[in-house]
Amino acid sequence: MASENTRKWAIIPEPNSMTVGEGTVLLPYAGRVNESIAIGDGDFLLAHQLVADIRSATGTDWDIATGDMWSGFIRLRIADSWDFDSQDGGTAGAYTLTINTDGITITSCDFEGVRNGVQTLRQLIRQNGAVLPELQIADAPACQIRGYYLDATRGRVPTLAWLKQWVDKLCLYKYNQLQLYIEHTFAFDGMSETWRGSSPLTPADTLEFDQYCANLGIELVPSVSTFGHQYVAMRTQELRELGEFPEDADRPFSFIERMRHHTLNVADDRAFAFSTQLVDSYLQLFRSKRFNICADETFDLGKGKSKQEAQRVGVATLYATYVGKLCEHLSKQGREPMFWGDIAIEMPEILETLPNNVTLLNWQYEPEATDEKIQLVAQAGAKQIVCPAVWGWNALLPRIDDAWNNIARIARYGLDCGAEGMLVTDWGDFGHVNDPRMAVPGMIFGAQYAWNPAGDTAENDLLERISRVEYGDCSARFVALLRNASAQAVFTWRELVEYLELDDGTGNCNTDVAQTIPCLADRLVDHLSDCGNAMTVREARNRMMRNMATTIERIPQANRALQQCMVDIAPIAAHMGNPGITAAVRIAMEGQLLLNRVGFALAEAHDVRDAHDAGDWRPSDYRALARELECWCEAYAKEWNATSQPSELHRIQETVWKAADELRRISK
């Protein structure tokens, strides 16, 4: 085995068994990939993937053939299942890869296994060019379902071109399932009032994308909100009467309220007709037999229009009955229902009512999560898929440490409890300000731990491997610097949104927003009883900023560290040959520098800081800071367009402009 200290290449996910020889193998300048017809790859896509990478890495063009009359230096083969079983247990997706002077052979007993072996070889070619190491690999995944869940609804709708690029990347790291999260951003017939202005995905997009995913061995599973998270639909003229609180439909838009108030009134028979209309029309566009009805975070259930029914039967029964009806509706059509498990876990009696063919998606995002909820579902005998997160939401820079801790931990718990697989989630709360390219390290964490949850891979080692394999960074420092930069996020997009949305649009304090901020939630009732009046916006913001006083003190030091990260990462990025990620990282870092400065300025305006100790950011500079914010926002919008439709970019722009206006106001 070659020493890890001398090896300049890596494979992700790391193979279960790999023997590296002393020699090397030189690829022919005019070679051929022979792909067996038995693999079932009708368009010989796997062979084309290899030829494309060889051309990119070496500049040479290779041929493609099939059949035993044609030689091939690279051979893709389906083995006799018994022979393969004796080597590797016969696990679906397993493969062997051999590189020696006789050539390169990838063998498996199924298409997915050959596909996985090809991705390993592609990674080696990308890093080593025409000179590959002699080696032998026998490899198989621990999780049969290795899925990714991408938010395509809370502000950012990806372009179809970018979605295909993302699926290419998922394939490279051996994922085999993808779900797109949809609330209102799909062009359902008869619902134009809901999706208008959101750059919705269309049936044609879905059919094309479903075929693209299938060709790459990735199952595209339909996922649409059918119960909770109906905020946009419940604010329309046509559908508002189906919500728990139709009287609130005309309140000003709020990122925070969007996450809290969005539940159907399921005591109304029209709600089920609405949900099944979504289900029945959507499922016809997918080849997958699975269907995710979501049904999570139904916070308002039993509190508004359904209150009387909830008092009669109980909230748990109200929830379980509705979800059960939706699952039965899907089962009758030969589909396999799945839904988010948060409500069922909060009310464990629901677990006992689940049909046998239902899969519970057990999400836990805490970096230090325990296995309690996963054990609970396992003990109830319910099928589950464990769901950690890439930790990108509400922020410009990804929280890489949190993602690693969460994903590695949840993957091990899932393995121990017999979960059917892992679904790594990528959310876009508060307008999806996070550039989807920032999620790549977290996505690769998921690839590693879904493949081998029991491995003892250290975080720093994995960061170095990601830098090499994904970014072509010979220094292996890129992702670690990105991690260090994210640690300097003191005043984040979340705090900015909270600060601004404490104003309900009329100058009064938005108590719904205040209740989501821990330092304010406990004081709302006490303040009313002490003073006889509701808390004002000024009072709420004062308390919020005072609560952040210790954190705010870090900002000058944090910004100096962040600027140093920018200096250190620039020459590395210049040699990676990936201008897209270079621009995305630069814009995110510059934005965080500005957010930190905004937080510092607001703290000073609320007397949290002494004006004489304001450093370079005195009141006279607030207008200059406002102008910097607005210029940054224009650059951010250009990068948005690199991956996404216009969708709700305007909401992010309006938030930045409000912040700029607030800075000008406090400068007077």
Side-chain angles (χ1 to χ4, degrees):
M1 178 76 73
S3 168
E4 291 289 345
N5 295 325
T6 60
R7 184 188 302 160
K8 299 302 182 184
W9 52 267
I11 298 169
I12 305 173
E14 192 169 18
N16 292 303
S17 172
M18 179 169 65
T19 302
V20 181
E22 295 295 328
T24 58
V25 174
L26 179 65
L27 294 177
Y29 67 88
R32 178 182 292 134
V33 179
N34 185 300
E35 179 178 353
S36 170
I37 197 76
I39 292 169
D41 178 16
D43 294 328
F44 299 98
L45 181 63
L46 299 178
H48 282 291
Q49 284 183 327
L50 288 168
V51 168
D53 278 326
I54 290 170
R55 182 184 303 114
S56 178
T58 71
T60 60
D61 286 314
W62 277 39
D63 191 17
I64 293 172
T66 190
D68 57 12
M69 298 296 291
W70 296 92
S71 63
F73 192 80
I74 298 177
R75 300 171 291 274
L76 311 182
R77 295 286 178 262
I78 290 290
D80 178 82
S81 58
W82 185 88
D83 290 341
F84 195 81
D85 182 67
S86 68
Q87 299 175 46
D88 210 85
T91 305
Y95 69 94
T96 60
L97 167 62
T98 302
I99 303 176
N100 57 36
T101 54
D102 293 330
I104 301 170
T105 304
I106 295 171
T107 307
S108 178
C109 58
D110 57 25
F111 167 82
E112 184 176 347
V114 176
R115 183 204 72 148
N116 292 336
V118 166
Q119 307 318 307
T120 296
L121 181 56
R122 292 177 66 202
Q123 292 182 23
L124 290 169
I125 292 168
R126 290 182 176 198
Q127 295 169 83
N128 294 282
V131 182
L132 300 181
E134 281 191 332
L135 56 72
Q136 189 165 21
I137 291 173
D139 202 10
C143 296
Q144 289 307 297
I145 295 176
R146 304 178 303 283
Y148 198 83
Y149 195 83
L150 179 64
D151 190 337
T153 206
R154 288 183 180 160
R156 186 188 290 267
V157 178
T159 64
L160 185 57
W162 185 82
L163 282 172
K164 290 179 178 179
Q165 292 175 27
W166 189 251
V167 170
D168 290 340
K169 205 174 292 293
L170 293 178
C171 176
L172 181 65
Y173 295 107
K174 305 183 178 73
Y175 278 86
N176 62 6
Q177 187 183 108
L178 172 66
Q179 299 186 32
L180 300 181
Y181 176 53
I182 299 295
E183 290 175 7
H184 65 286
T185 53
F186 194 84
F188 289 105
D189 282 353
M191 292 183 61
S192 56
E193 189 188 2
T194 300
W195 49 253
R196 65 187 185 189
S198 69
S199 308
L201 294 167
T202 67
D205 294 332
T206 302
L207 292 172
E208 182 178 343
F209 190 47
D210 186 58
Q211 182 65 58
Y212 192 86
C213 290
N215 290 344
L216 290 170
I218 293 176
E219 178 186 14
L220 183 64
V221 175
S223 172
V224 64
S225 288
T226 59
F227 193 168
H229 288 291
Q230 295 290 343
Y231 181 76
V232 175
M234 296 304 102
R235 288 165 58 82
T236 64
Q237 295 292 332
E238 292 189 18
L239 296 172
R240 63 178 59 193
E241 289 302 319
L242 297 183
E244 285 279 8
F245 294 102
E247 64 273 16
D248 290 340
D250 292 322
R251 287 168 62 97
F253 176 89
S254 161
F255 283 133
I256 295 173
E257 289 187 41
R258 182 184 201 159
M259 302 301 297
R260 305 295 301 178
H261 302 303
H262 44 57
T263 306
L264 281 176
N265 167 23
V266 296
D268 188 327
D269 291 339
R270 294 174 298 174
F272 188 69
F274 168 74
S275 295
T276 53
Q277 177 188 353
L278 297 177
V279 168
D280 293 347
S281 55
Y282 204 43
L283 64 80
Q284 294 180 353
L285 304 174
F286 297 80
R287 68 193 65 205
S288 173
K289 293 300 182 183
R290 303 180 220 263
F291 196 106
N292 181 3
I293 62 172
C294 296
D296 56 316
E297 295 187 331
T298 52
F299 300 123
D300 290 334
L301 183 63
K303 296 179 180 178
K305 288 284 188 176
S306 69
K307 186 174 183 178
Q308 184 175 352
E309 181 66 9
Q311 290 174 336
R312 186 180 72 84
V313 302
V315 173
T317 298
L318 191 61
Y319 178 89
T321 300
Y322 196 75
V323 169
K325 285 172 61 180
L326 286 174
C327 291
E328 182 182 5
H329 181 79
L330 279 162
S331 297
K332 287 179 179 178
Q333 300 180 72
R335 304 288 168 153
E336 300 171 18
M338 49 177 58
F339 71 98
W340 298 110
D342 52 309
I343 304 300
I345 289 170
E346 287 178 12
M347 307 175 191
E349 61 268 34
I350 294 173
L351 294 173
E352 301 173 4
T353 70
L354 296 180
N356 292 333
N357 68 332
V358 173
T359 300
L360 187 141
L361 302 173
N362 196 345
W363 62 269
Q364 291 185 83
Y365 303 149
E366 303 88 351
E368 305 298 327
T370 70
D371 66 348
E372 180 180 359
K373 293 179 179 179
I374 296 172
Q375 290 277 11
L376 177 67
V377 175
Q379 290 166 6
K383 295 195 298 184
Q384 65 176 318
I385 293 174
V386 294
C387 307
V390 300
W391 271 87
W393 64 88
N394 297 345
L396 292 172
L397 291 165
R399 287 149 288 189
I400 289 175
D401 283 341
D402 289 339
W404 183 80
N405 278 302
N406 177 233
I407 292 170
R409 195 178 295 261
I410 294 300
R412 287 194 295 271
Y413 298 157
L415 181 67
D416 293 343
C417 292
E420 297 197 331
M422 186 163 80
L423 183 67
V424 181
T425 63
D426 182 357
W427 297 104
D429 306 9
F430 292 15
H432 211 145
V433 71
N434 40 309
D435 189 306
R437 292 169 290 189
M438 293 290 129
V440 169
M443 179 272 284
I444 298 178
F445 292 165
Q448 173 63 52
Y449 289 104
W451 192 269
N452 185 10
D456 56 357
T457 302
E459 180 183 8
N460 287 337
D461 174 62
L462 189 49
L463 296 187
E464 290 180 3
R465 289 198 284 131
I466 294 171
S467 295
R468 290 186 186 279
V469 177
E470 171 61 24
Y471 298 108
D473 169 26
C474 295
S475 74
R477 297 177 60 217
F478 180 78
V479 183
L481 286 169
L482 184 59
R483 186 228 0 229
N484 295 346
S486 70
Q488 312 313 319
V490 178
F491 192 79
T492 68
W493 180 254
R494 181 189 185 98
E495 279 85 38
L496 179 64
V497 169
E498 289 174 339
Y499 181 92
L500 295 174
E501 290 197 358
L502 280 169
D503 186 335
D504 69 357
T506 67
N508 295 315
C509 178
N510 187 327
T511 55
D512 280 343
V513 170
Q515 286 171 356
T516 68
I517 303 173
C519 68
L520 297 179
D522 295 339
R523 283 291 299 159
L524 288 173
V525 176
D526 293 341
H527 188 279
L528 184 61
S529 61
D530 292 345
C531 306
N533 297 307
M535 189 181 291
T536 66
V537 176
R538 177 71 185 182
E539 289 166 335
R541 287 175 170 174
N542 276 341
R543 186 169 184 83
M544 175 185 170
M545 296 310 299
R546 284 198 300 271
N547 188 66
M548 293 189 68
T550 302
T551 305
I552 293 291
E553 294 292 333
R554 287 188 50 230
I555 286 178
Q557 177 184 354
N559 271 14
R560 285 192 293 271
L562 185 50
Q563 287 169 329
Q564 187 59 51
C565 285
M566 293 170 64
V567 169
D568 293 341
I569 212 168
I572 295 172
H575 289 89
M576 293 191 322
N578 189 339
I581 192 62
T582 300
V585 168
R586 177 64 185 273
I587 292 298
M589 289 184 175
E590 292 282 4
Q592 188 54 59
L593 283 169
L594 290 170
L595 283 175
N596 282 349
R597 291 173 61 192
V598 170
F600 198 94
L602 294 176
E604 184 178 306
H606 286 274
D607 299 321
V608 173
R609 291 195 49 80
D610 185 343
H612 295 293
D613 188 32
D616 296 332
W617 306 318
R618 296 191 178 279
S620 60
D621 294 319
Y622 293 170
R623 293 185 180 185
L625 179 55
R627 292 192 293 272
E628 288 185 62
L629 267 180
E630 289 158 344
C631 290
W632 172 84
C633 193
E634 291 302 303
Y636 173 86
K638 291 179 182 178
E639 282 309 305
W640 176 287
N641 294 331
T643 63
S644 309
Q645 301 282 2
S647 33
E648 296 182 42
L649 170 62
H650 67 94
R651 297 199 189 279
I652 290 177
Q653 293 172 312
E654 288 161 5
T655 300
V656 173
W657 299 336
K658 285 180 183 178
D661 291 345
E662 184 68 15
L663 288 168
R664 291 186 174 99
R665 187 188 66 78
I666 64 177
S667 71
K668 296 178 181 178

